[in-house]
Amino acid sequence: MKTYSVTDVGRRRKINQDYVFASTKAVGNLPNLFIVADGMGGHNAGDYASRCAVNTIKEYIEQNEGQNPIKLIHEAIQLANARLLDEASKQMELAGMGTTIVVTTICGHYAYTANVGDSRLYLIADDEIRQITKDHSLVEEMVRLGQLTKEEARCHPDKNIITRALGVSRQVDVDFFDYKLEPDSILLMCSDGLSNMIDDEGILQIAAGDGSIEERALMLIRTANDHGGKDNIAVILIEPDTNEVE
């Protein structure tokens, strides 16, 4: 398995509130683990929220003896949500903080992904790109209701309003997806700092294009910045090993 992860502050922001974790080695009973978080909140609160959520999820999975990946990830996300709320209640400067989260593990032929918010996971195979996760955002709800097209949603003034996040309420709904991987599959996890700056076809051309996995990940960052870089940008590219998938 090959992977490369990177974050960038972008062209408009002073603080990077995106945080990533990527391990091709086992984390607890999971054979690998990949996480992207996009924090929100004033001052350093968003930065703290994304980092705290990712580290909480990683530590819970490291220490838990469970075998079911979906159950493990769900429990870890719920713990991260509770921890953010507790920390915010103790420190005034952290009040109102929150974060999106997208978590993935690859087990043999299948990948298991969870998300809350509008950070995404894409599956690229056979020269096609498919968004696996569903954005928890106001404009995505409008797209689902037929009130906006996908292209209109990308440019909508309310596109940054999310309807779910960690750290907002004691109960958080988590969406789960499991899907089969083909030998040539590429997984891309990202924050909206990438997906708001580059359309899906542009992402496909770069992520499945020429160059090493590192070069393609950095090209995604560079292109998002060239298109305006209006937000922090997080990218994890993953190429499962053909022999592991077959």
Side-chain angles (χ1 to χ4, degrees):
M1 182 186 297
K2 296 179 183 177
T3 187
Y4 190 80
S5 58
V6 59
T7 67
D8 189 85
V9 71
R11 296 280 176 86
R12 305 284 185 87
R13 302 293 178 91
K14 295 181 179 179
I15 298 172
N16 190 351
Q17 297 185 328
D18 287 0
Y19 197 80
V20 300
F21 173 81
S23 176
T24 59
K25 296 180 180 179
V27 178
N29 285 329
L30 296 185
N32 46 69
L33 185 63
F34 307 93
I35 313 172
V36 169
D38 179 359
M40 58 187 185
H43 304 291
N44 293 322
D47 172 47
Y48 182 91
S50 59
R51 186 174 67 253
C52 178
V54 170
N55 289 334
T56 299
I57 291 167
K58 176 176 72 74
E59 289 164 8
Y60 179 84
I61 292 171
E62 283 175 339
Q63 298 165 9
N64 196 281
E65 296 182 357
Q67 300 286 339
N68 185 312
I70 292 175
K71 186 172 185 289
L72 268 174
I73 292 170
H74 184 266
E75 291 172 348
I77 290 173
Q78 295 292 339
L79 178 61
N81 182 63
R83 182 162 293 172
L84 291 182
L85 288 167
D86 289 344
E87 292 294 326
S89 69
K90 296 173 185 175
Q91 303 181 58
M92 186 175 297
E93 65 272 20
L94 299 179
M97 70 173 174
T99 186
T100 69
I101 203 81
V102 56
V103 183
T104 297
T105 188
I106 298 167
C107 304
H109 295 261
Y110 289 88
Y112 301 89
T113 296
N115 86 295
V116 179
D118 61 356
S119 292
R120 295 178 176 179
L121 181 138
Y122 290 95
L123 172 62
I124 298 169
D126 298 323
D127 296 321
E128 294 183 351
I129 185 168
R130 178 162 61 102
Q131 182 182 337
I132 297 295
T133 54
K134 305 297 182 186
D135 295 352
H136 303 135
S137 67
L138 180 62
V139 295
E140 184 61 27
E141 293 296 333
M142 296 170 74
V143 169
R144 289 188 192 121
L145 293 171
Q147 297 171 353
L148 289 175
T149 66
K150 276 285 189 183
E151 188 55 38
E152 288 170 339
R154 287 190 67 247
C155 305
H156 198 279
D158 294 331
K159 66 178 180 294
N160 292 323
I161 298 177
I162 59 176
T163 54
R164 288 190 218 171
L166 301 190
V168 175
S169 63
R170 286 288 167 189
Q171 298 296 322
V172 60
D173 291 329
V174 184
D175 285 354
F176 283 90
F177 309 88
D178 61 89
Y179 43 98
K180 190 173 183 180
L181 299 175
E182 301 302 329
D184 63 345
S185 296
I186 300 171
L187 299 182
L188 167 64
M189 300 168 69
C190 65
S191 63
D192 66 344
L194 183 79
S195 55
N196 283 342
M197 294 292 100
I198 314 175
D199 63 20
D200 288 3
E201 185 60 31
I203 290 173
L204 171 63
Q205 293 304 316
I206 298 170
D210 295 331
S212 68
I213 194 167
E214 177 181 354
E215 290 168 338
R216 284 175 278 139
L218 293 175
M219 177 61 76
L220 287 167
I221 297 285
R222 188 158 54 248
T223 303
N225 278 324
D226 289 345
H227 288 184
K230 295 180 181 179
D231 201 351
N232 308 144
I233 311 157
V235 167
I236 300 178
L237 268 181
I238 309 163
E239 292 181 344
D241 191 310
T242 301
N243 294 325
E244 290 179 331
V245 175
E246 286 182 340

